[in-house]
Amino acid sequence: MSIDHPANATPTPPAIVHLPASGAVDLCFVLLHGVGGDAASMAPLREALREQYPQAALVSLNGPEALTDGGQAWFDVQGLDADTLLQRLDAALPALVQRIQAWGQHFELSWERVALAGFSQGATMALEAVQAQDQLAGRVLAFSGGHARAPQHAPKEVSLHLLHGLADELVPYQPVVAMARTLVALGADVTADVLPEVGHALHPKLVARGMEQLRTFVPARVWRSAMEAAQAQKDQEEEQTQADGTKPQA
């Protein structure tokens, strides 16, 4: 199935979609591949997500840019420098944001129930998308990629999980770690994992760590909600105690 539309006339389908075997969809993961990859190349992550979240819709998008050597990209990568990178990224983001929003609406899910997971250029697109658009997704898994520019604010109510290989020579881990520290200083909800003996790949160790973060990391917004509920309960009990203390004795 697809509600998506490709941005060019290539025969590449715009998305590969996997739905639960039965029952309603309760989450939507939108997967974004790297340069030269395609929706199918995200299969290792898709299978891990399907096992952990059987009621999730898994939407693997194809990038709109067809490469001459095969595969897709989210924007043209020929002749990139610092300026053209940002120009092409900014030009590509609105269409991606619309695609993500359309899938969330299709499954009638609130934005908090939508998550983005990207590899390499797809990770950059995911991170920049939640910077550019509030209430787009509740979580981001960024594998082997980072921001194209220094983040200027913490994406509101979004949990960011950065996963990288120590041996990644294409996208070194040091700038990603520095970016994580910047995000923490801005008040973002961030985890960062750098695993040894892992290069630039959607490696099984990175995927496993991503699944662990999804299982165990409690978003700050959930903590706040729980704390507010606990405080409200405490206030109610104190009011009741005071009311009981003012009752006349028999």
Side-chain angles (χ1 to χ4, degrees):
M1 63 162 289
S2 177
I3 60 168
D4 211 331
H5 299 281
N8 56 28
T10 71
T12 304
I16 297 174
V17 183
H18 292 267
L19 298 177
S22 63
V25 170
D26 63 6
L27 293 169
C28 178
F29 287 90
V30 179
L31 278 54
L32 311 176
H33 61 78
V35 172
D38 56 18
S41 69
M42 300 299 287
L45 178 59
R46 187 170 59 244
E47 291 306 313
L49 288 167
R50 191 199 314 224
E51 181 177 352
Q52 186 158 302
Y53 299 101
Q55 293 309 120
L58 307 175
V59 181
S60 301
L61 300 183
N62 273 308
E65 189 76 22
L67 303 181
T68 57
D69 294 335
Q72 306 293 122
W74 298 99
F75 52 83
D76 184 9
V77 294
Q78 295 298 316
L80 281 181
D81 59 27
D83 292 331
T84 56
L85 168 62
L86 295 179
Q87 291 169 3
R88 294 174 191 178
L89 170 70
D90 290 341
L93 275 175
L96 176 61
V97 167
Q98 289 179 354
R99 294 174 76 180
I100 294 166
Q101 290 173 327
W103 281 108
Q105 292 165 5
H106 176 74
F107 294 116
E108 299 181 345
L109 296 173
S110 64
W111 65 271
E112 301 98 325
R113 309 295 293 175
V114 176
L116 310 181
F119 169 69
S120 194
Q121 189 190 50
T124 298
M125 294 298 291
L127 290 167
E128 294 290 347
V130 295
Q131 278 279 316
Q133 180 65 52
D134 287 340
Q135 298 187 347
L136 180 66
R139 295 221 195 195
V140 173
L141 292 169
F143 295 90
S144 306
H147 277 283
R149 55 167 69 85
Q152 299 300 307
H153 67 277
K156 188 176 180 181
E157 307 291 356
V158 182
S159 296
L160 305 173
H161 303 294
L162 311 178
L163 302 121
H164 220 89
L166 189 67
D168 190 334
E169 296 182 357
L170 185 62
V171 181
Y173 75 90
Q174 293 91 339
V176 175
V177 172
M179 178 192 71
R181 290 173 177 154
T182 297
L183 286 164
V184 169
L186 291 169
D189 211 11
V190 184
T191 68
D193 292 281
V194 180
L195 302 186
E197 300 179 357
V198 173
H200 191 76
L202 194 56
H203 194 281
K205 290 182 179 179
L206 291 179
V207 172
R209 183 58 177 157
M211 295 305 98
E212 183 181 352
Q213 290 290 15
L214 289 176
R215 286 194 307 271
T216 61
F217 183 80
V218 180
R221 65 177 182 274
V222 176
W223 277 116
R224 282 197 298 272
S225 179
M227 292 297 290
E228 289 168 0
Q231 185 61 50
Q233 178 67 26
K234 181 179 179 182
D235 292 344
Q236 183 178 8
E237 291 173 353
E238 290 177 351
E239 290 175 2
Q240 185 61 49
T241 299
Q242 292 174 359
D244 291 344
T246 59
K247 290 180 180 179
Q249 298 297 317

